[in-house]
Amino acid sequence: MVCDKCEKKLGLLVTQDTWKDGSRSHVESSTGKKKLKENKLLTAAKGNRFDPTKQNFKNCRICRVHTHHPKAHYCQACAYKKSICCMCGKKLMATKDYKMSST
């Protein structure tokens, strides 16, 4: 669970958008800026690839488990149970009348 402000901090996917009109990865081939339907893993620089062994993942502030985002402070399970943003800890919704369990 990520709030709107922290959603901008998330990384982008390597794959192209399937919706072509107005997508970020769609550029006309006549401009010559970018090839259409190219594989970014093969054409991108080698140093920019994501390597989970070299990333410094933080521990969850509640249960001390490793998080799955490099910038996250809470694991996904604790963020769901408490209904908070996993990156900044902002309360997303009131959970008084909900049964928030992971099972």
Side-chain angles (χ1 to χ4, degrees):
M1 299 178 77
V2 181
C3 65
D4 295 332
K5 185 179 98 179
C6 294
E7 191 172 355
K8 297 173 189 171
K9 298 177 189 175
L10 294 175
L12 299 175
L13 291 176
V14 177
T15 58
Q16 290 185 349
D17 296 334
T18 55
W19 177 61
K20 291 294 180 191
D21 296 330
S23 65
R24 287 180 282 170
S25 63
H26 179 68
V27 177
E28 294 295 325
S29 60
S30 62
T31 60
K33 292 181 182 177
K34 189 185 224 183
K35 284 196 247 178
L36 293 176
K37 297 183 181 179
E38 68 178 336
N39 190 344
K40 290 294 182 186
L41 288 175
L42 298 176
T43 59
K46 300 285 184 189
N48 294 338
R49 291 188 185 172
F50 175 74
D51 189 9
T53 59
K54 294 181 181 177
Q55 287 283 352
N56 187 11
F57 291 96
K58 298 177 183 176
N59 289 338
C60 176
R61 291 181 177 175
I62 299 172
C63 65
R64 305 289 185 229
V65 175
H66 285 289
T67 60
H68 65 284
H69 288 299
K71 299 175 184 175
H73 295 290
Y74 301 98
C75 68
Q76 197 65 26
C78 291
Y80 174 75
K81 288 177 192 174
K82 304 264 184 203
S83 182
I84 57 175
C85 174
C86 67
M87 298 180 98
C88 66
K90 178 183 172 185
K91 191 78 166 168
L92 295 177
M93 61 184 273
T95 57
K96 181 182 176 186
D97 298 327
Y98 295 102
K99 182 179 179 184
M100 302 295 281
S101 66
S102 60
T103 56

